mmCIF file of all heavy atoms in Angstrom:
data_model
loop_
_atom_site.group_PDB
_atom_site.id
_atom_site.type_symbol
_atom_site.label_atom_id
_atom_site.label_comp_id
_atom_site.label_asym_id
_atom_site.label_seq_id
_atom_site.Cartn_x
_atom_site.Cartn_y
_atom_site.Cartn_z
ATOM 1 N N LEU N 78 217.834 -51.932 104.742
ATOM 2 C CA LEU N 78 218.173 -53.279 105.228
ATOM 3 C C LEU N 78 216.939 -54.020 105.766
ATOM 4 O O LEU N 78 216.001 -53.381 106.252
ATOM 5 C CB LEU N 78 219.195 -53.156 106.366
ATOM 6 C CG LEU N 78 220.620 -52.814 105.944
ATOM 7 C CD1 LEU N 78 221.364 -52.133 107.071
ATOM 8 C CD2 LEU N 78 221.355 -54.077 105.505
ATOM 9 N N CYS N 99 221.778 -48.185 107.878
ATOM 10 C CA CYS N 99 223.177 -47.968 107.505
ATOM 11 C C CYS N 99 223.385 -46.502 107.095
ATOM 12 O O CYS N 99 224.470 -46.112 106.690
ATOM 13 C CB CYS N 99 223.571 -48.915 106.367
ATOM 14 S SG CYS N 99 225.345 -49.229 106.263
ATOM 15 N N HIS N 101 221.993 -44.838 104.570
ATOM 16 C CA HIS N 101 221.961 -44.512 103.141
ATOM 17 C C HIS N 101 220.919 -43.426 102.841
ATOM 18 O O HIS N 101 221.038 -42.712 101.851
ATOM 19 C CB HIS N 101 221.714 -45.775 102.306
ATOM 20 C CG HIS N 101 222.777 -46.822 102.476
ATOM 21 N ND1 HIS N 101 222.793 -48.008 101.797
ATOM 22 C CD2 HIS N 101 223.894 -46.855 103.261
ATOM 23 C CE1 HIS N 101 223.849 -48.728 102.149
ATOM 24 N NE2 HIS N 101 224.521 -48.052 103.050
ATOM 25 N N GLU N 133 223.381 -51.513 97.533
ATOM 26 C CA GLU N 133 224.768 -51.581 98.030
ATOM 27 C C GLU N 133 224.926 -52.760 98.970
ATOM 28 O O GLU N 133 225.926 -53.454 98.941
ATOM 29 C CB GLU N 133 225.135 -50.275 98.750
ATOM 30 C CG GLU N 133 226.633 -50.152 99.081
ATOM 31 C CD GLU N 133 227.086 -51.016 100.246
ATOM 32 O OE1 GLU N 133 226.356 -51.148 101.233
ATOM 33 O OE2 GLU N 133 228.179 -51.585 100.175
ATOM 34 N N GLU N 134 223.917 -52.985 99.821
ATOM 35 C CA GLU N 134 224.071 -53.971 100.899
ATOM 36 C C GLU N 134 224.317 -55.388 100.386
ATOM 37 O O GLU N 134 225.011 -56.161 101.016
ATOM 38 C CB GLU N 134 222.842 -53.955 101.816
ATOM 39 C CG GLU N 134 222.650 -52.639 102.575
ATOM 40 C CD GLU N 134 223.703 -52.383 103.648
ATOM 41 O OE1 GLU N 134 224.548 -53.268 103.888
ATOM 42 O OE2 GLU N 134 223.692 -51.283 104.227
ATOM 43 N N HIS N 160 230.703 -42.433 103.473
ATOM 44 C CA HIS N 160 229.870 -43.245 104.362
ATOM 45 C C HIS N 160 229.976 -42.696 105.763
ATOM 46 O O HIS N 160 231.067 -42.337 106.206
ATOM 47 C CB HIS N 160 230.302 -44.722 104.357
ATOM 48 C CG HIS N 160 229.170 -45.639 104.739
ATOM 49 N ND1 HIS N 160 228.629 -45.651 106.006
ATOM 50 C CD2 HIS N 160 228.470 -46.539 104.021
ATOM 51 C CE1 HIS N 160 227.639 -46.532 106.037
ATOM 52 N NE2 HIS N 160 227.513 -47.090 104.844
ATOM 53 N N HIS N 359 223.855 -50.980 111.009
ATOM 54 C CA HIS N 359 223.016 -52.191 110.942
ATOM 55 C C HIS N 359 222.374 -52.534 112.292
ATOM 56 O O HIS N 359 221.836 -53.624 112.454
ATOM 57 C CB HIS N 359 223.779 -53.416 110.391
ATOM 58 C CG HIS N 359 224.257 -53.239 108.984
ATOM 59 N ND1 HIS N 359 224.623 -54.292 108.172
ATOM 60 C CD2 HIS N 359 224.414 -52.136 108.226
ATOM 61 C CE1 HIS N 359 225.007 -53.826 106.991
ATOM 62 N NE2 HIS N 359 224.898 -52.510 107.013
HETATM 63 ZN ZN1 ZN R 1 225.399 -51.360 105.459
#
Side-chain angles (χ1 to χ4, degrees):
L78 285 155
C99 203
H101 299 182
E133 190 285 321
E134 295 291 355
H160 205 293
H359 298 198

